[in-house]
Amino acid sequence: MVGLKRIPSGIHGLDEKIGGGFEAGSVISLLGGPGAGKSLLGMSFLYEGLKNGETCLMVSFEESVDDLISDMEAIGFKDLKDFISRKKLILLFNSPVNFEYLGILDIIRENNVSRAVIDSLSAISMYMDDKSKFRKFMLDLVTELKGLKVTTIATDEQPQVSDNDTLYFSGEYLSDAVIKLFYTGLGGDFDRSMQIVKMRRTNNDRSMLPMRIDQGGIYVK
Ligand SMILES: Nc1ncnc2c1ncn2[C@@H]1O[C@H](COP(=O)(O)OP(=O)(O)OP(=O)(O)O)[C@@H](O)[C@H]1O
Ligand SMILES: [Mg+2]
């Protein structure tokens, strides 16, 4: 589409399947079960930004900053302490209880953050007592992030069984793109896979993409 800016995703092999990269300023929902690779995919997306001189933010509700750094090092991302000391990489470990995103928006504005990861929405929704409250929270958050033009990945736990409740709790309908990660543990080509469920304004690949994680990052083919 004319005038649409694409940015590299940081996932080897993905950009060519989504028209050149993620749409700049879009909000992407990333769904998957435990160990599917959600956090690592978010970190790969941020590391790509760091390599390009961007300022990147990760808000984690589940892992400490030290654990986040160790996770990133395990997939080959180096010089993280240097990026952190130069305030190019901002890692925040937040409590999901009564989470107020206004402080996060201030950090994004003050540091000119262009890529952000929120890991995970499920952690926040767990502490919100009703569905409509969470949906309103999501709508406000997505609107604010889009206003700031920060490209954002928000991770969400994918239930193992079909559960209509998640339709209310997740931000899938509000976000520009939905990516699902699957982990079978069976080995072989489809031990891990990725499906791009939706990507607005993009003629994306719709097939199941075999995915691999190693010390060089995340790969799809
Ligand atoms: N260097 C590596 N080589 C191969 N696989 C790796 C490597 N580092 C991590 N992994 C795999 O990535 C998985 C963790 O991925 P990640 O933390 O992104 O999952 P997640 O979807 O965020 O899970 P959770 O819902 O528990 O937070 C590990 O369980 C491991 O299988
Ligand atoms: Mg995780």
Side-chain angles (χ1 to χ4, degrees):
M1 189 177 282
V2 181
L4 205 64
K5 188 181 169 214
R6 300 275 177 181
I7 58 166
S9 64
I11 311 306
H12 305 288
L14 180 61
D15 296 345
E16 64 214 52
K17 297 180 188 302
I18 54 173
F22 293 141
E23 183 185 348
S26 63
V27 175
I28 300 142
S29 286
L30 178 63
L31 312 177
K38 302 180 294 296
S39 302
L40 293 180
L41 194 149
M43 292 166 183
S44 305
F45 162 72
L46 296 185
Y47 196 69
E48 181 67 26
L50 293 176
K51 287 193 294 182
N52 299 331
E54 297 175 46
T55 303
C56 300
L57 167 70
M58 178 142 190
V59 186
S60 171
F61 299 97
E62 296 174 346
E63 289 190 76
S64 68
V65 169
D66 283 347
D67 282 349
L68 294 176
I69 293 173
S70 304
D71 287 358
M72 291 177 85
E73 286 175 345
I75 54 169
F77 299 160
K78 306 277 185 271
D79 301 325
L80 298 174
K81 299 233 160 76
D82 179 52
F83 286 120
I84 292 169
S85 68
R86 289 191 292 118
K87 289 200 167 172
K88 296 305 281 182
L89 176 61
I90 304 166
L91 299 176
L92 297 179
F93 179 45
N94 247 82
S95 165
V97 186
N98 297 324
F99 172 61
E100 288 283 352
Y101 61 77
L102 294 175
I104 303 291
L105 299 177
D106 286 341
I107 291 172
I108 291 174
R109 269 187 220 103
E110 283 159 18
N111 297 279
N112 208 8
V113 169
S114 53
R115 295 186 185 223
V117 171
I118 300 171
D119 191 28
S120 67
L121 294 177
S122 5
I124 308 171
S125 69
M126 210 177 288
Y127 294 95
M128 292 208 178
D129 35 22
D130 68 72
K131 293 169 189 170
S132 56
K133 191 172 164 196
F134 185 68
R135 182 117 189 172
K136 170 80 169 66
F137 166 86
M138 276 306 302
L139 184 61
D140 291 348
L141 179 62
V142 169
T143 306
E144 293 282 0
L145 291 168
K146 289 176 78 91
L148 291 171
K149 297 188 170 28
V150 50
T151 315
T152 305
I153 291 182
T155 71
D156 207 347
E157 275 163 29
Q158 167 94 342
Q160 297 298 314
V161 290
S162 162
D163 177 358
N164 282 333
D165 272 0
T166 56
L167 297 181
Y168 297 95
F169 279 99
S170 75
E172 284 176 67
Y173 291 97
L174 303 171
S175 50
D176 299 294
V178 177
I179 298 176
K180 283 188 185 175
L181 302 183
F182 300 91
Y183 175 48
T184 63
L186 296 172
D189 242 13
F190 283 96
D191 187 41
R192 294 182 183 281
S193 52
M194 173 190 291
Q195 185 184 24
I196 300 149
V197 177
K198 92 168 177 190
M199 197 163 280
R200 288 178 184 152
R201 299 169 286 279
T202 305
N203 182 16
N204 57 278
D205 193 313
R206 288 162 184 77
S207 51
M208 278 285 185
L209 308 172
M211 184 175 115
R212 181 166 58 84
I213 301 173
D214 69 21
Q215 55 281 32
I218 301 184
Y219 303 76
V220 293
K221 61 180 183 188

